Amino acid sequence: EVQLVESGGGLAQPGGSLRLTCAASGFPFSDYWMTWVRQAPGKGLEWVANIKDDASEKHYVDPVKGRFSISRDNSKNSLYLQMNSLRAEDTAVYYCARGFGWIWDFWGHGTLVTVSS
Amino acid sequence: DIVMTQSPDSLAVSLGGRATINCKSSQSILSSSNNKNYLAWYQHKPGQPPNLLISWASTRESGVPDRFSGSGSGTDFTLTISSLQAEDVAVYYCQQYYGAPLTFGGGTKVEIK
């Protein structure tokens, strides 16, 4: 059974940091692109970043460039999102998803990140 | 960046009725190399993760009921639910994967009239 389980969310202060983890199982993790997508309260979906199966290619949405870093450890079937210099507007549910190319065919249930003083 | 514009923002349809959602991209997302449209549709219900319905503008994913269909090419796309069921109440998003940054439409909320 395919599973993606996000963790690491919580409350952070503006300017602070958090590291999200997505634990994958039930499929050959190292064969897939992976992505982070977020949903701010009351808003729509926003793509954040993605990473190629071998980590040789990464892409970011402009508002997070220079602050967020996507990475993966294929030996641990894990995807990460290091979030630094957090802002109130980063408050959202963060989903990880696996990709057939850039078609996101399976999603985790998400982890809530709240940035507030 | 490619801007995706959905309409309407919301619609209410009777059970068994037809729901039509439109999605327009700010530039063509049709590849000349493979003649494919780089567009996906997702269904998002409250408290659940998004669910991929359609890729390549019109290819239904395995397990998706055939009342869901996608059409269009270039810059104009449509998701149609031919006979709305209670379980179809959700927000629907289009998303282009032609190039980074990947972008979603603003979403269309579908409700029962």
Side-chain angles (χ1 to χ4, degrees):
Chain A
E1 179 192 5
V2 175
Q3 283 198 335
L4 293 170
V5 180
E6 301 93 337
S7 61
L11 178 64
Q13 292 199 336
S17 298
L18 281 176
R19 189 195 197 204
L20 305 185
T21 298
C22 173
S25 60
F27 67 99
F29 181 74
S30 60
D31 287 353
Y32 285 81
W33 278 82
M34 297 294 295
T35 193
W36 290 98
V37 173
R38 66 185 178 183
Q39 184 175 36
K43 302 294 185 181
L45 299 175
E46 180 184 37
W47 171 78
V48 174
N50 63 6
I51 184 168
K52 198 176 178 187
D53 48 14
D54 62 359
S56 62
E57 192 174 329
K58 304 175 185 180
H59 301 274
Y60 299 90
V61 71
D62 278 351
V64 310
K65 282 180 181 175
R67 300 189 300 122
F68 290 11
S69 178
I70 190 170
S71 62
R72 63 193 296 162
D73 186 335
N74 286 346
S75 69
K76 295 182 178 179
N77 289 343
S78 293
L79 173 72
Y80 307 102
L81 186 67
Q82 178 67 43
M83 303 187 297
N84 299 328
S85 302
L86 282 163
R87 304 168 180 168
E89 54 265 36
D90 296 320
T91 294
V93 174
Y94 285 74
Y95 298 97
C96 69
R98 77 170 191 183
F100 183 75
W102 285 359
I103 302 166
W104 313 113
D105 69 343
F106 192 87
W107 299 57
H109 278 78
T111 186
L112 176 62
V113 171
T114 302
V115 183
S116 175
S117 55
Chain B
D1 298 0
I2 299 174
V3 177
M4 307 300 290
T5 303
Q6 281 183 241
S7 62
D9 292 338
S10 64
L11 75 161
V13 177
S14 301
L15 284 172
R18 176 182 294 261
T20 301
I21 301 168
N22 300 302
C23 176
K24 187 175 184 69
S25 57
S26 61
Q27 65 186 71
S28 176
I29 53 175
L30 171 63
S31 171
S32 57
S33 62
N34 60 10
N35 202 37
K36 287 188 172 185
N37 290 283
Y38 284 61
L39 184 101
W41 287 97
Y42 297 88
Q43 176 191 64
H44 194 194
K45 298 180 181 179
Q48 296 186 23
N51 179 45
L52 176 66
L53 296 175
I54 287 170
S55 59
W56 304 115
S58 61
T59 301
R60 205 167 34 245
E61 294 301 301
S62 175
V64 174
D66 61 7
R67 63 181 180 272
F68 292 93
S69 64
S71 63
S73 185
T75 61
D76 292 280
F77 303 90
T78 301
L79 175 69
T80 301
I81 310 173
S82 60
S83 177
L84 192 75
Q85 305 299 303
E87 60 265 32
D88 300 334
V89 170
V91 179
Y92 293 83
Y93 296 91
C94 61
Q95 181 231 317
Q96 65 81 17
Y97 48 97
Y98 187 82
L102 309 182
T103 45
F104 289 89
T108 296
K109 186 175 185 179
V110 174
E111 299 171 305
I112 304 296
K113 186 188 296 182

